[in-house]
Amino acid sequence: MADARYSRQLLVLGGGGRRLRETAVLVGGLRGVGAQTAAALVLAGARRVVLHEGGAARGGLQCSGPTSAAAPQFLQGERSVSQDRAETSRQLLAALNPDVEVSVHRGELSEEFLAAFQVVVLTEYLLEEQLRIGDICHAKGVCFIVADAKGLAGQLFCDFGEHFVVHDPAEGDPLCATVQHISQGNPGIVTCTGADKNQGHRFSDGDLVTFSGVEGMVELNSSEPCPVRVLDAFRLEIGDTSTFSPYRGGGRVSEVRPCQERSYEPLSQALAMPRIQARSSTELLRSRSLHAAFRALHVFCQERGCLPKPRAPEDAEHVLELARELGSALGPLDEDVVRAFASVSAGELCPVASFIGALAAQEAMKAITGKFLPLEQWFYFDALECLAMEGAAGLTPEDCAPRGSRYDGQIAVFGADFQEQLGQQKYFVVGAGAIGCELLKNFAMMGLAAGPGGDITVTDMDTVAHSNLHRQLLFRQADVGKPKAEVAAAAVRLMNPDIRVTAHQAQLGPSTEKLFGNTFFQRLDAAVSALDTLTARAYLESCCIRSHTPLLDTGTEGTKGNVLAMVPPLSQPLQPGSDPADGSFPVCTLRFFPSAIEHTLQWARDEFKGLFQLPAESVNRFLRELPEEPAQWEGLVVPEQVRRSLQERPQGWGDCVRWARWHWQLRYHDSIAQLLHDVPPSHETSPGVPFWSGDRRCPHPLTFDPSNDTHLAYVEAAAHLLARTYRLPSCGERVATQDVLCHTVLPPFVPKDRHYVPAADGMEEVEEALEPGQLLELVQELAKWKQELGGGTEAMDPINYDKDDDLHLSFITAASNLRAENYGIPPADRLTSQRIAGRIVPAIITTTAAVAALACLEVYKLVWRCRDLQCYRNSNLFLSECLLFRMQPLPAPTYWYRGKEWSCWDRLEVRAIGEDGQAMTVRELLAWLQEKYGWTVTKLLHGSTMLYDGEEDEEMRARQQAQRLSDGVEGSAEPRQLELQYVCAGDKIEDACPPLLCTLP
């Protein structure tokens, strides 16, 4: 099993993620929650996933409810509804990931059978069976999870035994910082910075740290982890350093994350007095009420053989009575929560099932990998705020009665009329990656745009990549290289043939406004952002703000995720963000003064481009422009990169290895030795102030060792890449490479005087000039090269860095770690190097599935045309700690202008057609504003362009007023709109005023 498929996931789970490949998991129950759990574990790469039909086949809670037993979950297409659900699910799950063995178990879950698993997840079993299996798993040391979803609520329970070890409790790499100074004292004060010297250290009080590479106060390098106390963003307080040697320079301070041990009670004990994860007393009361309600639901089903009828008050009251009895030890209950839960508990909603299933899968991964803090021990979720929406609150049992439809589970909650509205929706999904796939899958199960007039438009400019397959549910190995949007659209049509979905392979932006313009956005019911850059998300936000289109913005990073709802005109518009820094650092830092692995990785990226991309592009460009006639060669300027490419042109594999060995010597020995020759370790910028101090770590040259894996990895990768650029065959045998190295003798290094010259920002390297007489010879050699190509102009193949290419990554990792060794910087492993150098956002299926599910819950509210902002939720999710924060979006801000209160969504609109049927002139628009609002406009602007300025002279004002609003505006197939700003007489130029939207003919 190659790591390439799971690279983004390994960035989340760390090395523990590889334990998935050795694990067997049992998933009981194959309705919504079980299907989502099983799919996530299969995509994540568990070695073996065994499916078991649980309560539905054995008299569980779902068996006699009003939801149709034939209603398909997303692992079943419409055509397979009448087929064996377990076998159909097995086939489709196996197709998700050929690395995973997927099987079905149809017998009893005996002690002997359960002992073969590391994790058991139950999703639809009677409580009696949950208790029996839970006791077995606890006794056998098998991690046990219960996950259920009923209507608008879900529960999750974890029992990982009495001595469960969490190997790595936190997300991301351990924190580290560069030491600037350490004082002698009690306590000692450490001054330090992050990778960017303008950033602080990011440590917190109580964090354990170790030191390395400290010069002078060397006692710290061998000391045990010590706790820190934060003084400010750049200073930490540590223990007693008064007896240590004086600090001289250098050093790193690194976070240590100790293992943690957790103890869990079996379900039989945890049921009565539950440990519930909650953030506040209010949330705890709500969760305890749901805990009692779920227990009561089991009793209700045992008594009556079915779930409560939808919207039946008498059934809901009986559940409440049972909950009062069962929850008496928990204290008072929120009876409204219990009633609301019971009234729709027969319902089955894809978003709720997906959310709970995603959480269950993440807890299973915690059990397997020892990564992140597991749930302790109960978690409850509900979206009962949906029932407060106008229209949803007054539904009757008749409205929610089953129709024999695949959507009966949804009708049980929201009624049949609502289902018709869902089918008529027009939605825009921007992005068909991980979140986009989950959104489309949920939409298909919900029946969004599956009726007359409905339509989902999905666009994504990318094609399916191998690294997408571990989390992008709708893609298979055979889809690699195909357009994402088209593949995703075809996949959801198989899930629900009624869904109407249109796919585009286009990037949303100014260049596609003719396809996705104002008219397109104005016809939408809503848009959903599943984009992976803040720049693209900000553009989509601006389109939706301009057209007053509701927008659900989604995003993930590792186990963190969020959903933001923008509901015009109720909520505050989303605030466009900007992409974080692109990883760039000052040139002097990269060339001479690296102090963190981020610096050496960026340097390695620049090396890659400078060695294997830019020279080849320069040669090809020069040959294209080279005149055919030698008489025209005189005076040609040969770029340095072209000259070097010709001089270093290899003839075979041995030349490539020798070039790589020479370049190793140049970069990791000679250039460092030259730098130290010009600026010795003892050099002082002024008396008593050493040059090599603070951010400037004094480097040391390396000596090539053919037995050193990193040294050899660099030579091999560089030689292979050079061979590719010159279109030469490579040799994959290490013995042949080592043989060339053994016979390679390089001249001894002789330093040059004043080769590096101190400059304002650090150092400057002095390039050697080429003798003028050599230029003609070079041009002649290049002409000969061109002739060898048969007159062609592409002599070399430029290589663009691909963060998922193994060879590229091998070079970057080795080049960076050798540079780090030069400067005493701790190296980075291959996975960390890939993430930092490729600027990769860690990703995992569980987070994307959970975030998409939360977004779909907001879709229900938008379909209801809910006008109560209190019903909407923004969500922030932290799966590493099983934490969810849901809060009401902020209301739209208002302001006063000319004696009236205006919403931020308000604007003045005019159909800007003049008396002659053409676009209004500026004069006509000014007159319209005077007549309509009584405002005398003194300045009129379109962006930064002044259309009218009342302070100009009479002649200029007359010319401005005679201009048409259409002047300088490009035509398009749809009505053109201008958004103008203005200043009225008596206003200050900074006064807020509603924008003026002019629709041109």
Side-chain angles (χ1 to χ4, degrees), residues 95-170:
L96 284 178
N97 191 343
D99 296 332
V100 180
E101 176 191 341
V102 185
S103 60
V104 175
H105 176 73
R106 300 186 186 277
E108 295 291 324
L109 300 181
S110 64
E111 287 191 36
E112 182 180 3
F113 179 75
L114 291 169
F117 296 94
Q118 284 72 50
V119 183
V120 169
V121 185
L122 301 185
T123 64
E124 52 189 56
Y125 286 66
L126 288 171
L127 181 58
E128 179 183 357
E129 188 76 344
Q130 292 178 15
L131 292 168
R132 182 186 75 83
I133 295 172
D135 283 343
I136 294 172
C137 290
H138 191 84
K140 297 286 186 182
V142 177
C143 294
F144 177 65
I145 298 171
V146 173
D148 267 315
K150 295 291 178 287
L152 283 162
Q155 70 171 173
L156 187 63
F157 169 78
C158 293
D159 168 18
F160 291 179
E162 296 178 9
H163 303 286
F164 181 78
V165 177
V166 183
H167 298 286
D168 189 355

Side-chain angles (χ1 to χ4, degrees), residues 951-997:
E951 296 182 1
E952 293 286 356
D953 58 50
E954 184 176 350
E955 182 181 351
M956 175 61 78
R957 292 200 308 273
R959 283 203 301 268
Q960 290 175 334
Q961 289 175 342
Q963 287 184 326
R964 292 191 184 275
L965 297 178
S966 58
D967 290 351
V969 179
E970 294 182 3
S972 65
E974 63 176 28
R976 295 164 293 170
Q977 289 185 324
L978 291 180
E979 184 174 309
L980 306 181
Q981 297 79 42
Y982 52 91
V983 178
C984 294
D987 290 352
K988 296 179 180 178
I989 197 164
E990 66 270 12
D991 285 352
C993 58
L996 174 59
L997 194 66

